[in-house]
């Protein structure tokens, strides 16, 4: 076992003395130089606790000292305060079950220690972006130190048994506490299940101060966290210990604990580990059942601070035992009568968070199979059932002969072989039994693989490994489990941490009971008597005593930030994760398809499915030249920019965790800001395609595939277009192996990929409910006259009303997560517009898209489309596909499918084509050799395409202001421009995947479009005399006509002679609501209007 302090300093920094329990970064740094002079001077004073915000940069590791020095240095930099591991340079305790001198709670500490641990905890919160800024951190730290100092007083400091100033407590917010308990679990060196630390819930019971209420509240909330077997890992936090007190305590080691009765012959009936506890609880007045058995659950005994113990019986919904059975040896195992409790809930451990000691903090989780099958039932000093299992399974048959009466008489190698087999079958039976009753449990191999991956990911991100004690982490199965091979891990103990109490609760009561004259309080089940509290209780300002001066203003949404499983880490900019190229590209006829595979799982099942999918896709790629498969599968959090392009198919395998939640290795993807998903992930004319396999369990109907549904919602938000049905919901209740799970999904997925790869077009975005939702469709069910009328009307509009324009300039907000407004300037040629009018914009299809549609239909762009109308109104195919039709919307009628002269083909069904944009559908049919077809059917197909819908905007600029060459006459129309080009401004609110606001405006400038000018009711403002007071209220893009009016009055004011005695037109009172991002966009006009005296 490697001790981090020894390797870094090369000296004995860890004193074996009882008064040494903490070492700090500053001490480690300062001791480096002294250790080189004399190793005998390395012992540090117990009173010299230190902490620095930034570790001493002058510290350097002597060259060649240790290959892990860099890793250890990074660990020190991240943890200003390190607690003792109980090891010294001369004496390593890595092989001990319990280390001496490990940190404990339940003792007085010097005020300097409490203050510095509080500061260290706050620094960790600051590094995790818990505070808005450094000022908020400083304010909170000041309040905490003030609270510690005002509650401090003299007392005996436990370390040195000397009088001194004892540090007081400080009140932690629920969000700070939740962060603290999660970080403490992550720092727990002896726990292999730490990969679930971000799922840990807080049940805040700090307002419970009596033993009776403590017992009933714990039982009630434990029922909720058990959740019918689908365990929610939860910490139940009672009030912290006060100075000079023991704090609240719980007698039981576990919430569910079997009694151990000492029999007359000295043997133990039940669990030998509980013999002393059983005797003490009987001494409190508990009456054991009659007859006694080895599976009797002890009542729960709790003891609030300054109160007598209270006893409560375990309710049936928590006390039901899991019968251990074996699917292959049913009758034999039934005869063994083996049972165990449904869940572990440690009750004698506490939490040390920021100098505050929580002495009663029960912690519910779930078992790993080896805990029961290898330890609890099998240990010779516990239930010792392996000899009985071996005999029952017939493993001794043929072994017991003359001179051999029992297992113990066999040679050691024979006995080991039999016990190994018995242990394997018992462990298998344990896991199988818990599965049958739908109670959460992890198998050893999965837990080990999850821990290895979690630790590796942590090191890749932070540069150092998490603390680990291999004595506890290495499973008893040995080398077949991956964690066994990891060897020595860094031996250090950061805070916050989970630790034991310095006192034994039973002995503490023995010392206290002489001061009490009341008996112990035996309780029945009272969980339904007292008023209920929610399991995750938000405490109000008045009840928790947190000063509102910093609680609301200096912490980023304290409850919201850390109240959710994923929210403690900073939010991810969606653009940095998946920046999608918005520049249109005319791709080659057969571009490569790039298939990327990701998984998201708290276990290993999703990764196994993803790996098997990867193998199948690589085999498929050997047969299709233009398909490229990612080199390996990755976690969803590792989705890179190159993974999502118009030529990419994203395949994701998702397992749910907890209550249908997304596992932590997918939280970075899910945590993308919602305001980003609309604006920053707008795709151009095409987006990526996706398919998702959801790994759920239908036995938990309420949360079935919840994570997969969440991931698909996020994928759809960013413009993903589904293939193979999008989300396939697998069921581990029916498909227990990865191969079984993959096969039905692969049957749907493979043909979809093959179809796309045959002649893969540039992939399209999904339809959205944005500003083109009112588009019309040329329906084959219309009469011939109606169809002719629609085309004739559009043709007339294009020839007479609509004119050519281009986007001249565009001022768009920086992409930082907010949906700002675009200021777009259109070059409208020689035409002029009336002030306060409207403009209709027709965002035509780009030439590359039109060429692709022409190629799919097999027609010439110069040929005129045959729609049964006069030649004068008949557009060419190129004009029709450019200006009449929206190629990004899907077909809304498929009557023409019936007229195709083909055999029934499921690949070209209406269900297959409906989700596709019309251009995708045309190219898809082209790849199947169904298109091109004859002229008549081509005309029918064209009639079924959706009509391109114009977008209407208020003009945001005054012609008098933007074109100084125009003469200005108030109340009159502007005269014709002497310039060959004029411009007008519009304000555009970006909509997710909007046809104009995103798709078109993402194209290069000078891309042609069509427009026409329309009158507006807002033009009536021009008729109002300038001296008439106006009150104007506007928000966002609604500021457009107001901007036009202001510019007009600015121009009017500039035309007034400086000597004019006419009053300024300053009778406008403006109330404007803007997003902060839009302020720079409008400030120039507002400032200029104010300077010109236009605004009041």
């Amino acid at each position: 076992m490697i001790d981090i302090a020894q390797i870094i300093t090369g000296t004995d920094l860890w004193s074996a003395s009882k008064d040494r329990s903490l070492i700090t970064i500053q001490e480690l740094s300062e001791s480096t130089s002294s250790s080189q002079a004399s190793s005998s001077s390395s012992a540090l004073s117990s009173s010299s606790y230190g902490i620095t915000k930034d570790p001493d940069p002058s510290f350097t590791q002597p060259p060649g000292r240790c290959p892990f020095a860099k890793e250890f240095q990074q660990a020190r930099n991240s943890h200003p305060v390190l607690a003792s591991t109980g090891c010294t340079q001369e004496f390593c305790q890595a092989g001990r079950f319990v280390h001496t001198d490990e940190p404990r709670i339940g003792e007085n500490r010097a005020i300097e220690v409490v203050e510095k641990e509080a500061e260290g905890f706050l620094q960790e919160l600051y590094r995790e972006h818990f505070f808005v800024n450094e000022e908020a951190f400083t304010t909170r730290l000041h309040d905490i130190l003030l609270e510690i100092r005002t509650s401090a007083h003299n007392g005996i400091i436990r370390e040195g048994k000397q009088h001194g100033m004892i540090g007081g407590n400080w009140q932690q917010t629920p969000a700070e506490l939740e962060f603290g308990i999660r970080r403490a679990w992550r720092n727990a060196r002896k726990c292999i299940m730490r990969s679930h630390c971000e799922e840990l819930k807080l049940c805040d019971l700090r307002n419970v101060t009596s033993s009776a209420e403590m017992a009933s509240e714990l039982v009630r909330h434990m029922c909720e966290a058990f959740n019918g077997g689908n365990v929610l890992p939860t910490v139940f936090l009672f009030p912290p210990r006060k100075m000079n007190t023991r704090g609240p305590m719980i007698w039981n080691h576990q919430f569910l604990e079997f009694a151990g009765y000492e029999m007359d012959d000295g043997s133990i009936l039940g669990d030998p580990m509980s013999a002393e506890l059983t005797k003490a609880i009987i001494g409190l007045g508990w009456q054991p059942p009659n007859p006694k058995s080895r599976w009797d659950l002890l009542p729960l005994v709790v003891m609030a601070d300054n109160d007598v113990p209270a006893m409560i019986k375990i309710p049936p919904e928590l006390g039901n035992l899991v019968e251990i059975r074996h699917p292959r040896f049913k009758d034999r195992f039934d005869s063994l009568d083996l049972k165990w409790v449904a869940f572990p809930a440690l009750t004698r451990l506490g939490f040390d968070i920021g100098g505050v000691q929580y002495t009663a903090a029960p912690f519910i989780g779930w078992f790993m199979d080896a805990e029961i099958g290898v330890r609890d039932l099998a240990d010779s000093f516990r239930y010792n059932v392996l000899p009985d299992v071996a005999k029952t399974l017939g493993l001794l048959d043929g072994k017991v002969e003359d001179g051999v009466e029992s297992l113990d008489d066999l040679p050691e190698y024979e006995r080991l072989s039999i016990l190994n087999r018995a242990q394997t079958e018992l462990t298998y039976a344990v896991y199988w039994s818990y599965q049958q009753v739908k109670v959460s449990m992890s198998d050893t191999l999965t837990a080990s693989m999850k821990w290895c991956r979690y630790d590796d990911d942590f090191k890749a991100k932070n540069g150092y490994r998490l603390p680990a004690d291999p004595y506890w982490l290495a499973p008893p199965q040995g080398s077949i489990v991956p964690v066994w091979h990891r060897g020595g891990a860094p031996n250090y103990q950061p805070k916050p941490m989970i630790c034991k109490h310095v006192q034994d609760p039973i002995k503490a009561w023995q010392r206290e009971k002489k001061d009490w004259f009341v008996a112990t309080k035996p309780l029945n089940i009272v969980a339904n008597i007292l008023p209920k509290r929610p399991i995750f209780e938000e405490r109000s300002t008045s009840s928790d005593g947190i000063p509102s001066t910093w609680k609301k203003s200096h912490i980023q949404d304290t409850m919201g930030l850390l109240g959710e499983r994923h929210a403690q880490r900073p939010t991810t900019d969606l653009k940095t994760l998946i920046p999608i190229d918005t520049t249109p590209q005319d791709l080659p006829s057969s571009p490569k398809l790039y298939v990327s595979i990701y998984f998201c799982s708290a276990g290993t099942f999703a990764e196994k499915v993803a790996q098997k999918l990867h193998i199948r896709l690589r085999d498929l790629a050997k047969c299709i030249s233009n398909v490229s498969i990612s080199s390996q599968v990755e976690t969803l959090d590792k989705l890179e920019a190159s993974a999502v392009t118009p030529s990419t198919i994203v395949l994701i395998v998702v397992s749910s965790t907890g209550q249908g939640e997304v596992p932590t290795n997918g939280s970075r993807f899910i945590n993308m800001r919602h305001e980003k998903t609309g604006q920053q992930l707008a795709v151009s004319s095409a987006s990526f395609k996706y398919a998702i396999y959801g790994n759920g369990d239908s036995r938990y109907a309420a949360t079935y595939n919840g994570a997969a549904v969440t991931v698909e919602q996020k994928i759809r938000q960013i413009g993903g277009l589904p293939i193979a049905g999008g989300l396939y919901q697998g069921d581990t209740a029916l498909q227990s192996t990865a191969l079984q799970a993959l096969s039905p999904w692969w049957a749907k997925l493979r043909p979809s990929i093959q179809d796309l790869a045959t002649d893969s077009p540039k992939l399209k975005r999904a339809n959205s409910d944005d500003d083109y939702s009112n588009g019309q469709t040329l329906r084959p069910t219309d009469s011939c006259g109606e169809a002719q009328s629609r085309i004739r009307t559009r043709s007339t509009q294009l020839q007479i009303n609509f004119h050519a324009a281009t986007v001249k300039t565009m001022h768009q907000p920086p992409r930082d997560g907010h949906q700002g407004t675009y200021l777009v300037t259109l070059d409208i040629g020689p035409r002029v517009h009336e002030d306060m009018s409207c403009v209709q914009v027709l965002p035509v299809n780009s030439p590359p898209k039109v060429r692709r549609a022409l190629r799919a239909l097999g027609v010439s762009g110069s040929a005129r489309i045959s729609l049964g109308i006069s030649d004068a109104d008949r557009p060419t195919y190129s004009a029709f596909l450019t200006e009449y039709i929206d190629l990004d919307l899907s077909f809304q009628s498929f009557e023409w499918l019936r007229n195709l002269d083909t055999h029934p083909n499921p690949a070209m069904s209406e269900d297959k084509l409906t989700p596709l944009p019309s251009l995708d559908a045309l190219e898809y049919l082209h790849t199947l050799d169904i298109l091109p077809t004859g002229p008549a059917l081509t005309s029918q197909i064209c009639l079924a395409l959706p009509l391109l819908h114009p977008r209407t905007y208020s003009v945001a600029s005054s012609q008098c202001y933007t074109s100084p060459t125009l003469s200005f006459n108030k109340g009159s129309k502007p005269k014709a421009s002497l310039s060959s080009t004029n411009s007008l401004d519009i304000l555009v609110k970006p909509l997710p995947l909007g046809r104009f606001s995103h798709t078109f405006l993402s194209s290069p400038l000078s891309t042609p479009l069509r427009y026409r000018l329309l009158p507006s009711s807002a033009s009536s403002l021009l008729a109002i005399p300038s001296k008439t007071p106006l009150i104007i209220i506007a928000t966002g893009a609604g500021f457009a006509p107001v901007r036009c009016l202001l510019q007009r009055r600015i121009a009017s004011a500039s035309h007034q002679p400086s000597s004019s005695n006419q009053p300024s037109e300053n009778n406008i009172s403006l109330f404007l609501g803007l997003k902060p991002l839009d302020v720079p966009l409008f400030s120039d006009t507002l400032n200029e209007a104010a300077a010109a005296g236009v605004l009041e």
Side-chain angles (χ1 to χ4, degrees), residues 499-676:
C499 50
K500 295 181 179 181
H501 201 292
V502 294
Q503 298 187 54
D504 181 288
I506 299 175
K507 294 179 180 178
W509 169 242
Q510 295 299 325
R511 292 189 294 269
E512 295 175 12
K513 69 178 181 180
K514 62 179 182 298
D515 299 325
W516 292 88
F517 300 96
V518 296
T520 308
K521 305 173 182 177
L523 300 177
N524 295 318
I525 302 301
V526 295
N528 295 322
I529 298 176
L530 298 179
K532 289 189 175 181
R533 292 188 181 92
I535 186 167
F536 306 121
E537 183 178 53
E538 290 191 24
R539 298 166 63 86
S540 64
T541 303
S542 60
S543 63
D544 63 15
I546 307 300
S548 59
T549 54
W550 61 264
K551 183 172 183 179
K552 295 182 179 179
S553 60
H554 295 297
I555 295 183
Q556 294 177 335
D557 189 14
T558 313
M559 288 306 298
L561 183 64
L562 293 180
E564 296 296 327
R565 179 178 61 86
H566 55 273
Q568 82 293 337
R569 57 185 67 179
T571 54
T572 301
D573 190 328
L574 202 57
K575 179 70 158 71
T576 63
L577 183 63
I578 315 176
I580 296 180
D581 184 8
T582 56
T583 303
Q585 305 172 17
D586 189 13
L587 297 182
S589 58
S590 295
K592 261 190 177 297
L593 280 177
Y594 297 94
V595 184
S596 299
I597 308 171
Y598 300 90
F599 71 92
C600 175
S601 174
T604 60
F605 191 87
E607 183 178 6
K608 291 178 181 178
V609 174
Q611 293 288 2
K612 290 188 177 294
L613 175 62
H614 187 250
I615 294 172
R616 294 198 178 191
L617 284 169
R618 283 189 304 177
D619 293 339
L620 180 63
K622 296 176 183 177
C623 307
I624 306 176
S625 60
N626 62 332
V627 173
S628 177
I629 310 299
S630 57
S631 60
Q632 60 183 5
V633 301
E634 299 280 4
T635 62
L636 186 56
D637 275 351
K638 293 184 179 179
L639 193 62
E640 299 295 341
S642 60
V644 182
T645 66
S647 299
T648 298
I649 299 176
V650 176
L651 305 178
I652 309 173
V653 184
V654 182
S655 288
S656 298
T657 187
Q659 293 293 89
E661 298 159 337
V662 177
T664 54
N665 54 12
S667 59
R668 177 173 175 258
F669 179 79
I670 295 299
N671 272 356
M672 296 181 292
R673 295 176 179 174
H674 292 294
E675 54 265 37
K676 278 287 184 192

Side-chain angles (χ1 to χ4, degrees), residues 26 29-30 32-33 54-62 73 76:
Q26 184 66 32
S29 301
E30 292 174 350
T32 304
S33 57
D54 297 307
D56 186 358
S58 64
F59 175 81
T60 57
Q61 172 64 28
Q73 181 66 48
R76 290 195 325 167

